[in-house]
Amino acid sequence: MIWKWNEPPAMNPSTDLPFSPAADRNKQPILERLQALLPPRAQVLEVASGTGQHAAHFAAAQPGWQWQPTDYAAEALPTIAARCAPWPQVRPPVRLDVTQHPWPFETGQFDAIYAANMLHIAPREACKGLMNGAAIHLRPDGWLLLYGPYIVEGEPTAPSNLAFDADLRARNPLWGLRELGTVCAEAQAAGLHLQARHAMPANNFLLVFGRSAGRQPS
């Protein structure tokens, strides 16, 4: 099983639903960055929605975002549906394995595709699958938005990220922090280019990919 978050979710006594402390900590900084990138009305696909906490938080704040949650784990879908039930603009969650094509969506359907804390807890081929799928399902001016920790060549890696990387690899040899250059190479092979790299709390980044090498996000 591929966990969406950095640690397996616990149960939240107030909702009786699985709950990720990491998702709760980072939801507001990510929302603020997404609000700066996306228009008030947008079609967004979330890859690896996990416990659904981001989908619910973003839907509450942005009623004009039509949000499509997904997850690799079929057992996660009922939790996502239950947590997002109060917001009609969140569509029913669907199972999505990014390495299996075609994805169950229309070509060019989304203004943005968003994934948080996914690539380092998935096999390396998931990066290629994500990039290829994003290139197909993003609108021409859409963004692929990836949140999480990365190893940046030529820059020091935070000790906490090095420890996290070692822990991930000990748990599963297919996991581990991804090198930014490798992620960008996979994106370029699919026709996407890194437009911006935003520093986020706790040594994370929000990476913004688009189709044009020269276009910059607002």
Side-chain angles (χ1 to χ4, degrees), residues 64-123:
W65 291 353
Q66 296 292 318
W67 201 268
Q68 175 61 72
T70 70
D71 204 85
Y72 174 86
E75 60 266 32
L77 303 185
T79 294
I80 299 168
R83 179 164 273 125
C84 296
W87 294 281
Q89 75 270 29
V90 179
R91 297 169 181 161
V94 300
R95 185 180 183 273
L96 177 65
D97 180 346
V98 297
T99 66
Q100 299 297 311
H101 293 275
W103 291 1
F105 308 108
E106 296 179 7
T107 299
Q109 180 176 347
F110 298 103
D111 299 292
I113 295 176
Y114 163 76
N117 289 328
M118 172 198 164
L119 293 181
H120 56 275
I121 46 177

Side-chain angles (χ1 to χ4, degrees), residues 134-161:
I136 293 170
H137 295 287
L138 279 174
R139 291 176 178 165
D141 59 350
W143 301 119
L144 172 63
L145 307 169
L146 304 182
Y147 171 88
Y150 295 89
I151 295 174
V152 182
E153 299 85 343
E155 298 181 12
T157 302
S160 60
N161 278 354

Side-chain angles (χ1 to χ4, degrees), residues 2-49:
I2 300 176
W3 288 108
K4 165 67 173 63
W5 308 109
N6 296 345
E7 69 276 349
M11 296 301 293
N12 185 342
S14 64
T15 63
D16 198 32
L17 293 172
F19 177 83
S20 166
D24 193 59
R25 289 192 297 268
N26 62 33
K27 65 184 182 183
Q28 186 60 28
I30 295 174
L31 171 63
E32 292 170 3
R33 180 57 62 182
L34 295 189
Q35 287 172 323
L37 289 166
L38 301 180
R41 302 189 67 83
Q43 301 278 338
V44 185
L45 169 65
E46 182 181 11
V47 177
S49 300

Side-chain angles (χ1 to χ4, degrees), residues 148-175:
Y150 295 89
I151 295 174
V152 182
E153 299 85 343
E155 298 181 12
T157 302
S160 60
N161 278 354
L162 291 174
F164 181 41
D165 180 59
D167 178 68
L168 288 172
R169 295 177 189 276
R171 284 192 271 162
N172 188 324
L174 299 178
W175 295 358

